[in-house]
Amino acid sequence: MIFGIGTDVCDLRRIAATLERRGDRFAEKVLGPTELKVFQHRRAKVEARGLAYLGTRFSAKEAFSKAIGVGLHMPMTWRACEILNRPSGQPYLQLHGELAEWFDARQLRAQVTLSDESDYAVSFVVVETDTP
């Protein structure tokens, strides 16, 4: 049974402008510890790859917050929700702390997909439950 669905489109030019204005503090606010390492690694190789990574994660977290129906309010925080990749490249959600406890208590599971193209990133999240 579907608990919630969320989608988000992110303009990567806005992300770039925010990074320029606020520096790495923006990435450090949005990304969890594992994501931050990946972002720094990709950005060091090619700036655009780092930007796309940050934009897709920003978008996916927005979509996830919509799917669970709480927006960006507790227990949902930027850093408590990480979007990581399996070795195959498939994205998945890794939740931490109060958000993980909240999610598990409701016996929820989530699927996430994301993509980027030139100036935009898009994500889609489906949260499911076995209980009505």
Side-chain angles (χ1 to χ4, degrees):
M1 165 182 251
I2 293 178
F3 180 85
I5 297 171
T7 190
D8 190 74
V9 177
C10 177
D11 188 331
L12 296 176
R13 295 166 295 193
R14 270 187 53 219
I15 298 292
T18 303
L19 261 179
E20 191 173 310
R21 240 184 3 263
R22 298 185 56 202
D24 286 348
R25 290 178 314 183
F26 176 66
E28 291 164 358
K29 176 183 175 183
V30 171
L31 301 175
T34 304
E35 292 172 318
L36 191 56
K37 289 177 188 174
V38 175
F39 166 71
Q40 291 166 340
H41 177 75
R42 289 187 180 190
R43 189 179 186 199
K45 284 187 168 188
V46 179
E47 182 75 24
R49 286 189 68 215
L51 179 63
Y53 183 84
L54 178 57
T56 55
R57 272 49 194 182
F58 183 91
S59 175
K61 292 174 190 207
E62 287 274 349
F64 177 72
S65 73
K66 294 170 186 175
I68 62 173
V70 299
L72 287 170
H73 302 284
M74 289 302 286
M76 175 61 190
T77 65
W78 291 109
R79 294 179 48 82
C81 175
E82 290 191 288
I83 292 76
L84 306 175
N85 293 90
R86 300 194 189 290
S88 66
Q90 178 188 22
Y92 69 96
L93 284 124
Q94 179 69 53
L95 306 178
H96 306 286
E98 289 181 45
L99 180 58
E101 292 169 16
W102 182 92
F103 196 77
D104 291 344
R106 287 157 180 75
Q107 299 177 330
L108 301 175
R109 59 188 178 279
Q111 302 296 322
V112 59
T113 187
L114 36 90
S115 187
D116 62 274
E117 184 64 42
S118 301
D119 296 329
Y120 298 97
V122 63
S123 61
F124 189 76
V125 175
V126 176
V127 176
E128 301 170 287
T129 183
D130 290 329
T131 57

